[in-house]
Amino acid sequence: MQKKLYNSYSDYFTQLFGGRAQKVTINAGFTCPNRDGSKGTGGCIYCDNEAFNPSYCLPEKSIYQQITEGIEFHQRRYRRAVAYLAYFQAFSNTYSDIDTLKRKYTEALSHFQVKGLIIGTRPDCINEDVCELLNDISKSHYINVELGVESVYDKTLLKINRGHDFKAVTDAFELLNKYNLNSGAHLIFGLPGETEADWMESLDIINNLPVTTIKFHQLQLIKNTEIEKMYFKNPNDFVRMNKDEYIKFIIRFVERLNPNFIIERFAGEVPPRFLSDSNWGIIRYDQVVREIEQSLSEQNTFQGRLYESKKVKGKSRKGKAER
């Protein structure tokens, strides 16, 4: 098999588990600090958890039952999986007291087919107690903590109602790294007020984050979200690329990306019924990946080909974050 021109998530798991590892999404009934009033209400302006939660993910069901149904669901499509990872995806999955977190994580790990946890959360929901708990679990199971970074720019984070600044991101990743925990960063391209030049400039900051995996999404306008209203009111505030434009951009971005990062996703995908304005048409993520891989090959390029290691010190990083 020809070696990929980027560090792929599937190859990473094959090395770890000896074969395909499948994430099984669960909804453990958490919320977020920008939803429950502690830092705000309404959540992030682009977010609708229903758009990416499988039908079996209902917080009324036990975590164990969701995992069982999720594995049955995936076994019909991915029969080669040798390991399953419980994916705490909906909302902020470290946002609770330690006893509750331990109970829910333990229930997921009690399933005999689960080899580890992937925990989606916010940077401002990471603290020493959470890291100590996860470090203890990591001694016997795989752990990866995925943080919603979305943007390196404070102005954007304020606009999208994140409820934290970029310093919270760097602090969280540094704390996770201190406890030797795998971590992942999630970024969105197309948020209001940002340009392609901003995204390329952000690479100096992103490349210095102590992360294991990285995930990219193009902005998708989900029906009945605040960002949908914002877009139709002022579309000139958004840079929205069609599929071909996005692929050209992502090639340029990946060429300059830290070659040590594992790329989990190049783009987002939600069921078409949730999309307000799909400028990509109906296309599956697998096809997007094939086109990206083909473009990398045709251009004779690869992840990190133009990577330059630049240490970003506190003052300059803060300056960029504030734009």
Side-chain angles (χ1 to χ4, degrees):
M1 182 180 295
Q2 185 177 3
K3 179 177 174 58
K4 288 186 172 68
L5 297 170
Y6 61 94
N7 286 331
S8 81
Y9 202 51
S10 59
D11 289 348
Y12 166 63
F13 278 148
T14 296
Q15 292 175 358
L16 284 176
F17 298 106
R20 181 185 177 89
Q22 179 62 48
K23 294 196 296 186
V24 180
T25 302
I26 54 179
N27 184 338
F30 290 103
T31 185
C32 301
N34 64 345
R35 287 179 176 270
D36 69 1
S38 65
K39 288 192 173 181
T41 58
C44 302
I45 65 173
Y46 52 79
C47 184
D48 179 358
N49 278 268
E50 295 300 318
F52 54 76
N53 263 349
S55 58
Y56 64 82
C57 288
L58 296 172
E60 297 80 25
K61 299 178 183 178
S62 70
I63 290 172
Y64 194 97
Q65 181 182 353
Q66 290 183 58
I67 292 172
T68 299
E69 293 181 12
I71 290 175
E72 292 173 353
F73 172 83
H74 287 294
Q75 282 178 337
R76 292 192 292 269
R77 184 175 181 184
Y78 304 112
R79 300 182 181 180
R80 295 183 292 108
V82 300
Y84 291 93
L85 303 170
Y87 184 19
F88 286 78
Q89 183 180 22
F91 303 106
S92 301
N93 293 276
T94 57
Y95 185 48
S96 190
D97 62 90
I98 287 298
D99 288 341
T100 297
L101 296 179
K102 185 174 182 179
R103 174 173 54 80
K104 293 191 176 189
Y105 299 160
T106 299
E107 182 180 354
L109 292 169
S110 71
H111 197 288
F112 71 99
Q113 289 175 283
V114 169
K115 305 298 183 184
L117 307 177
I118 298 177
I119 300 170
T121 191
R122 292 163 49 97
D124 54 348
C125 295
I126 296 295
N127 55 48
E128 295 273 358
D129 290 341
V130 168
C131 288
E132 287 179 3
L133 172 62
L134 295 177
N135 176 264
D136 187 54
I137 295 173
S138 72
K139 294 172 184 177
S140 56
H141 295 84
Y142 176 80
I143 293 288
N144 194 353
V145 183
E146 292 188 356
L147 299 185
V149 176
E150 321 313 1
S151 172
V152 306
Y153 300 113
D154 285 341
K155 183 178 179 180
T156 304
L157 296 175
L158 179 63
K159 189 177 293 187
I160 63 176
N161 196 39
R162 284 294 292 177
H164 64 75
D165 58 12
F166 188 71
K167 185 178 184 301
V169 173
T170 56
D171 288 349
F173 279 125
E174 288 167 5
L175 189 56
L176 291 165
N177 188 54
K178 171 185 170 183
Y179 281 86
N180 297 312
L181 291 164
N182 296 315
S183 62
H186 178 273
L187 294 164
I188 300 176
F189 300 120
L191 293 171
E194 294 191 356
T195 66
E196 186 172 334
D198 292 326
W199 307 329
M200 296 303 296
E201 184 181 359
S202 72
L203 272 161
D204 288 345
I205 299 172
I206 294 164
N207 282 335
N208 280 282
L209 295 175
V211 302
T212 310
T213 64
I214 195 160
K215 182 190 296 185
F216 308 124
H217 279 191
Q218 77 285 17
L219 177 65
Q220 296 172 288
L221 294 177
I222 307 300
K223 293 177 181 177
N224 302 317
T225 57
E226 286 300 314
I227 205 166
E228 177 200 30
K229 300 173 186 175
M230 186 184 295
Y231 173 77
F232 286 112
K233 183 177 181 180
N234 189 13
N236 292 331
D237 199 31
F238 293 76
V239 174
R240 297 198 71 210
M241 295 173 281
N242 63 34
K243 176 178 64 67
D244 292 339
E245 291 169 335
Y246 183 81
I247 289 174
K248 288 179 182 178
F249 159 72
I250 212 71
I251 297 298
R252 291 181 58 224
F253 196 89
V254 167
E255 283 183 314
R256 291 164 175 77
L257 185 68
N258 189 325
N260 295 314
F261 291 169
I262 307 299
I263 298 178
E264 180 177 352
R265 290 189 69 88
F266 286 109
E269 180 183 30
V270 299
R273 69 182 183 276
F274 287 99
L275 292 175
S276 171
D277 175 30
S278 176
N279 62 340
W280 285 28
I282 299 176
I283 181 171
R284 295 305 304 267
Y285 174 68
D286 291 348
Q287 181 180 336
V288 177
V289 173
R290 286 194 296 269
E291 292 187 31
I292 290 172
E293 291 176 345
Q294 182 178 347
S295 293
L296 287 168
S297 179
E298 289 174 349
Q299 296 179 42
N300 193 29
T301 192
F302 51 87
Q303 178 183 345
R305 182 177 73 86
L306 302 176
Y307 168 68
E308 296 180 15
S309 179
K310 296 180 180 179
K311 293 296 182 183
V312 181
K313 296 182 180 180
K315 289 186 178 179
S316 61
R317 180 176 61 196
K318 184 178 180 182
K320 277 189 177 177
E322 293 177 347
R323 293 178 72 183

